[in-house]
Amino acid sequence: PDRYVPAFGMTTYHHSLKRENDDEISILETASALKELMEEGKIRYIGLSNESTFGVCEWVKACEQLGISDKIATIQNSYSLLDRRFDSELAEACDHYNIGLLPWSVLAGGLLSGKYNTRSTGKSLPSTSNSRFVRFPDYMKRWHPSSASTGTLDASEQYAQIAQDAGMTPSELAIAFVRSRKFV
């Protein structure tokens, strides 16, 4: 979105981070440009990314104004066993407007693979010098084993244990969870 939204690990809206409207491109202006591309045959549908419930509703309103409300097809937001923010009012709005979720980071940057857990996780592969969190210490800090919250790390290890008990890898469990959601 071309406005402040709590994304990429932020979970709380902070009024002080809201940008002034003078440099913001409105949703209506963006939707108008997308409508022109549809009329030119260059695109068929609209996909949103990292959008909030407010943003989805604003997009629907703008597209209704332009007569293209049935063209919003998908939303691409973070969704995993560790990040279920979509499950609340965003899932309700997307269900109501028939907008499907294209989840990103279903393995929480790799944390849900189990290879970063501090105890044995059964079928998981050990991390190596080429593993993402080893090579890139600043990558996705909210999921990084050295900076994630204790609760996040504990949950990751508990999911790894559930996977082991079910005879699957942690990655298989994480992917199966996301694939089992109706809105995906």
Side-chain angles (χ1 to χ4, degrees):
D2 190 42
R3 65 182 194 288
Y4 162 70
V5 294
F8 303 109
M10 296 178 66
T11 58
T12 305
Y13 183 85
H14 297 282
H15 299 278
S16 63
L17 296 176
K18 182 180 175 186
R19 295 187 342 208
E20 294 302 318
N21 288 336
D22 59 349
D23 71 340
E24 186 176 293
I25 299 171
S26 73
I27 289 173
L28 182 59
E29 183 179 348
T30 304
S32 294
L34 291 172
K35 181 182 180 184
E36 286 178 28
L37 293 172
M38 283 180 201
E39 290 168 348
E40 294 170 8
K42 294 180 178 176
I43 63 171
R44 294 183 187 165
Y45 296 97
I46 297 171
L48 307 176
S49 183
N50 298 315
E51 197 49 271
S52 65
T53 306
F54 169 78
V56 166
C57 293
E58 289 296 301
W59 269 98
V60 169
K61 184 170 72 173
C63 288
E64 283 174 346
Q65 251 182 291
L66 298 169
I68 58 170
S69 62
D70 62 331
K71 297 300 183 182
I72 304 173
T74 60
I75 183 170
Q76 186 177 21
N77 282 30
S78 176
Y79 188 72
S80 69
L81 284 166
L82 295 175
D83 185 356
R84 298 191 204 176
R85 289 173 291 164
F86 186 86
D87 283 336
S88 61
E89 71 276 353
L90 191 51
E92 178 187 17
C94 288
D95 184 49
H96 181 77
Y97 295 116
N98 199 31
I99 300 170
L101 174 67
L102 298 172
W104 60 267
S105 200
V106 297
L107 295 178
L111 184 62
L112 288 171
S113 69
K115 67 182 171 183
Y116 300 101
N117 291 353
T118 57
R119 63 176 188 244
S120 174
T121 57
K123 296 181 184 177
S124 299
L125 299 172
S127 61
T128 68
S129 61
N130 283 327
S131 297
R132 180 179 291 166
F133 288 136
V134 174
R135 289 186 67 199
F136 306 103
D138 291 329
Y139 178 75
M140 295 183 104
K141 288 190 172 232
R142 68 188 177 278
W143 307 129
H144 199 290
S146 67
S147 55
S149 71
T150 302
T152 296
L153 297 173
D154 289 348
S156 175
E157 293 206 8
Q158 290 170 10
Y159 285 129
Q161 185 60 54
I162 290 168
Q164 183 177 358
D165 294 347
M168 55 181 32
T169 67
S171 295
E172 290 170 331
L173 176 70
I175 293 167
F177 166 77
V178 170
R179 291 190 66 199
S180 73
R181 307 295 93 177
K182 178 184 181 251
F183 44 75
V184 172

